[in-house]
Amino acid sequence: SASKPLAGRRAVVTSGPTHEPIDPVRYIANRSSGKQGHAVAAALAALGADVTLVSGPVTLADPMGVRVVRVETAAEMLAASQGALPADIAVCAAAVADWRVAAAAGDKVKKGPDGPPTLTLAENPDILATLAQAGPARPRLVVGFAAETRDVLAYAAAKLAKKGCDWIVANDVATGTGTFGGDDNQVHLLRRGAAPEAPLIETWPRLSKTEVAARLAQAIADTL
Ligand code: C5P
């Protein structure tokens, strides 16, 4: 219907940071609040989509009308995202840790005479690139985010090509923009054009994260 253009569509949305354990009491994390990803999940649901929100550790309330799967690590986020397939739409808004500790300790690491421990890191799976891989389970529309502190459009266009997704929502998170943890966002929507290195670019005004999410959900509905 006109007010529920995504009725009958399934969506998977990733949101928030991941926590990568060092030992049972310590972890590596980042400053993502999950506000933008949670708002996208709510906006897709408001347009009638059947939404699975795969959320890292956040302090936000669960959005209404959305199935929420809570995870901690990137590996768990990937498994939960793939478990939510098949889907028509995937939106990867999570700030996935790029690295995990290669061999997390089973017991708390103790201070000792040998000095501080050395952490060996291993690369985490790229959830967006994995979901965007061609194949029968690929969602029709795969959307990623790109947070950059400079050359936002150039890096975002490169990311669109490299990750294999259809759209990138690019934002400037340079110090002073207040984007991280804030309520507003100023974004550019890049859509894959005829040539991957020449995307179609729309620049949106500074909006609340809720309004960015509503516009994105409407753009998705207009495309499917
Ligand atoms: O490469 P970069 O982290 O800058 O790309 C950001 C985009 O890729 C976001 O959409 C983010 O959710 C996604 N991503 C992911 N898994 C990773 C790293 C990034 O899904 N391991």
Side-chain angles (χ1 to χ4, degrees), residues 38 53 58-64 68 70:
H38 277 53
L53 171 62
V58 298
T59 56
L60 302 171
D62 289 353
M64 294 226 294
V68 181
R70 281 197 198 69

Side-chain angles (χ1 to χ4, degrees), residues 14 92-94 96-98 125-128 144-145 159 163:
T14 71
C92 292
V96 183
D98 290 314
D126 191 310
I127 297 163
L128 173 60
F145 276 71
K159 204 157 287 185
K163 303 258 189 178

Side-chain angles (χ1 to χ4, degrees), residues 42-88:
L44 290 170
L47 295 190
D50 175 350
V51 181
T52 301
L53 171 62
V54 182
S55 175
V58 298
T59 56
L60 302 171
D62 289 353
M64 294 226 294
V66 166
R67 186 180 312 104
V68 181
V69 181
R70 281 197 198 69
V71 299
E72 293 231 338
T73 66
E76 290 166 4
M77 187 172 275
L78 175 63
S81 300
Q82 289 179 313
L85 300 180
D88 305 286

